[in-house]
């Protein structure tokens, strides 16, 4: 009888053209994954069977599947459901804003695969429409709009280097609302209900990583109560994600500028959930140093 631990691991990389699939493929290859690029969806099942015959020499495989694959949209869901019976399958969806994708295509002077006689934006719109259902079924969505190739590769390395050591990998991301909501997150917590250390002259130049700011934030009414209750609420959610094979979760914690409260509070949330069963935690401060 095949158990979950006996199954080979397959990662399917898909998403918008120009969003960084090649960069992700290269990063995974550097981490020891066996990567196959531009694979038609109908070839996913034979690939899993081939790897199964290879035994432990190819324990982790990644396939880049995109709009160029014939029959992608009609067969994809059925194929993935079938694969889950014999492999641990996860799907990464890469996306970016329309203006960013247009700029990327223009910079390499290549047409969008779906633009036909129209514009690049016409092709992007058509692709986004065709991929909408696929995006909804993905395990991880990464918005690469504000990432260069090195930052995207680093993000993949951080997410997948230790993927075998935890049931779910949680990223706590601090951010500033004045710089916009992050798009590639699963949950958002707003800690602007706490007094802002920015208005304390001796704390203004410090950050939430400094003891002075952290102690000030945690001493405020409601801070510890929020942390304890939020962590308690996350415990069954993260356990459920593991049962549903959702391996990567990003929780954004926001304050006004992403320098004081959100940095301190995200670190405290991380400290409270790091010992949950099957959970690995990492911290990311999106806007720290941006002011």
């Amino acid at each position: 009888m095949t158990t979950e631990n006996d199954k080979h691991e397959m990662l399917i990389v898909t998403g918008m053209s120009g969003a960084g699939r090649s960069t992700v493929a290269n990063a995974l290859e550097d981490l020891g994954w066996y990567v196959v690029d531009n694979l038609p969806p109908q070839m996913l099942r034979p690939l899993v069977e081939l790897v199964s015959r290879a035994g432990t020499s190819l324990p982790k495989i990644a396939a880049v599947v995109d709009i160029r694959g014939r029959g992608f949209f009609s067969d994809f869901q059925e194929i993935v459901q079938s694969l889950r019976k014999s492999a641990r399958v996860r799907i990464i969806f890469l996306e970016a804003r329309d203006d960013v994708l247009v700029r990327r295509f223009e910079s390499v002077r290549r047409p969008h695969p779906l633009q036909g006689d129209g514009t690049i934006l016409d092709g992007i719109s058509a692709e986004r429409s065709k991929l909408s259902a696929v995006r909804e079924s993905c395990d991880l969505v990464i918005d690469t709009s504000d990432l260069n190739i090195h930052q995207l590769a680093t993000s993949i390395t951080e997410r997948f280097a230790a993927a075998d050591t935890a049931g779910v990998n949680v990223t706590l991301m601090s951010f500033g609302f004045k710089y916009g909501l992050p798009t590639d997150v699963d949950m958002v917590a707003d800690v602007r209900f706490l007094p802002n250390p920015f208005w304390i002259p001796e704390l203004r130049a410090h950050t939430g990583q400094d003891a002075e700011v952290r102690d000030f934030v945690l001493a405020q009414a409601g801070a510890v109560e929020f942390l304890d209750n939020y962590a308690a609420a996350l415990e069954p959610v993260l356990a459920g994600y593991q049962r549903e094979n959702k391996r990567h979760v990003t929780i954004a914690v926001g304050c006004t500028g992403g320098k004081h409260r959100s940095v301190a509070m995200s670190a405290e949330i991380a400290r409270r959930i790091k010992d949950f069963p099957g959970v690995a935690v990492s911290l990311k401060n999106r806007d720290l140093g941006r002011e």
Side-chain angles (χ1 to χ4, degrees):
M1 178 179 177
T2 300
T3 66
E4 189 67 23
N5 290 332
D6 295 329
K7 294 179 179 180
H8 283 79
E9 187 169 10
M10 167 171 271
L11 191 62
I12 299 175
V13 181
T14 187
M16 297 295 295
S17 300
R21 293 188 303 260
S22 296
T23 298
V24 170
N26 291 337
L28 290 170
E29 198 166 62
D30 290 342
L31 291 173
W33 291 70
Y34 181 77
V35 181
V36 181
D37 192 11
N38 192 20
L39 190 71
Q42 292 80 5
M43 295 300 296
L44 289 171
R45 191 178 294 109
L47 177 62
V48 171
E49 294 171 354
L50 177 64
V51 172
S52 297
R53 289 197 292 270
T56 58
S57 60
L58 293 174
K60 299 187 297 183
I61 53 177
V64 181
V65 181
D66 55 58
I67 196 73
R68 295 168 292 176
R70 295 183 179 180
F72 179 78
F73 306 104
S74 59
D75 300 337
F76 183 76
Q77 304 287 8
E78 178 185 347
I79 291 171
V80 168
Q81 289 301 318
S82 176
L83 287 175
R84 292 191 191 277
K85 298 177 182 177
S86 57
R88 289 180 288 154
V89 179
R90 288 177 288 161
I91 307 171
I92 297 179
F93 189 97
L94 302 174
E95 67 176 7
R97 298 190 305 270
D98 287 357
D99 62 302
V100 173
L101 294 174
V102 169
R103 186 165 63 249
R104 290 174 182 174
F105 275 103
E106 289 178 341
S107 68
V108 296
R109 299 182 180 180
R110 296 190 63 187
H112 187 281
L114 293 185
Q115 77 178 73
D117 295 330
T119 66
I120 293 174
L121 189 58
D122 291 333
I124 291 171
S125 298
E127 183 178 29
R128 200 177 293 281
S129 176
K130 289 179 179 293
L131 285 172
S132 60
V134 175
R135 184 187 186 282
E136 292 301 317
S137 66
C138 289
D139 301 286
L140 175 63
V141 177
I142 301 177
D143 189 321
T144 69
S145 299
D146 299 316
L147 302 178
N148 61 37
I149 59 174
H150 305 294
Q151 292 168 329
L152 176 56
T154 298
S155 175
I156 292 299
T157 300
E158 291 173 346
R159 291 173 185 270
F160 289 94
D164 292 331
T165 64
V168 59
N169 295 269
V170 180
T171 299
L172 267 298
M173 177 196 296
S174 70
F175 74 97
F177 278 96
K178 73 177 184 179
Y179 299 116
L181 279 168
T183 56
D184 53 343
V185 299
D186 299 283
M187 289 173 272
V188 177
D190 184 352
V191 297
R192 290 176 295 181
F193 67 91
L194 298 170
N196 192 348
F198 178 85
W199 301 113
I200 310 297
E202 58 269 28
L203 297 179
R204 182 174 300 176
H206 293 280
T207 76
Q209 294 177 324
D210 297 321
E212 301 97 317
V213 173
R214 182 181 65 250
D215 293 346
F216 173 85
V217 171
L218 295 182
Q220 302 309 305
V224 173
E225 181 182 6
F226 169 83
L227 289 167
D228 291 342
N229 290 335
Y230 194 67
L234 286 175
E235 188 167 15
V237 173
L238 297 179
Y241 280 161
Q242 293 181 66
R243 290 192 298 271
E244 294 299 315
N245 200 34
K246 183 176 177 62
R247 299 286 297 276
H248 300 273
V249 178
T250 300
I251 302 172
V253 182
C255 63
T256 303
K259 178 179 179 180
H260 298 110
R261 294 165 291 179
S262 62
V263 174
M265 294 292 277
S266 61
E268 286 299 313
I269 294 171
R271 188 174 66 82
R272 281 165 167 75
I273 71 172
K274 66 181 179 62
D275 293 327
F276 286 178
V279 172
V281 181
S282 61
L283 285 169
K284 178 179 181 181
N285 297 309
R286 190 192 75 173
D287 298 323
L288 190 60
R290 189 168 179 174
E291 75 284 346

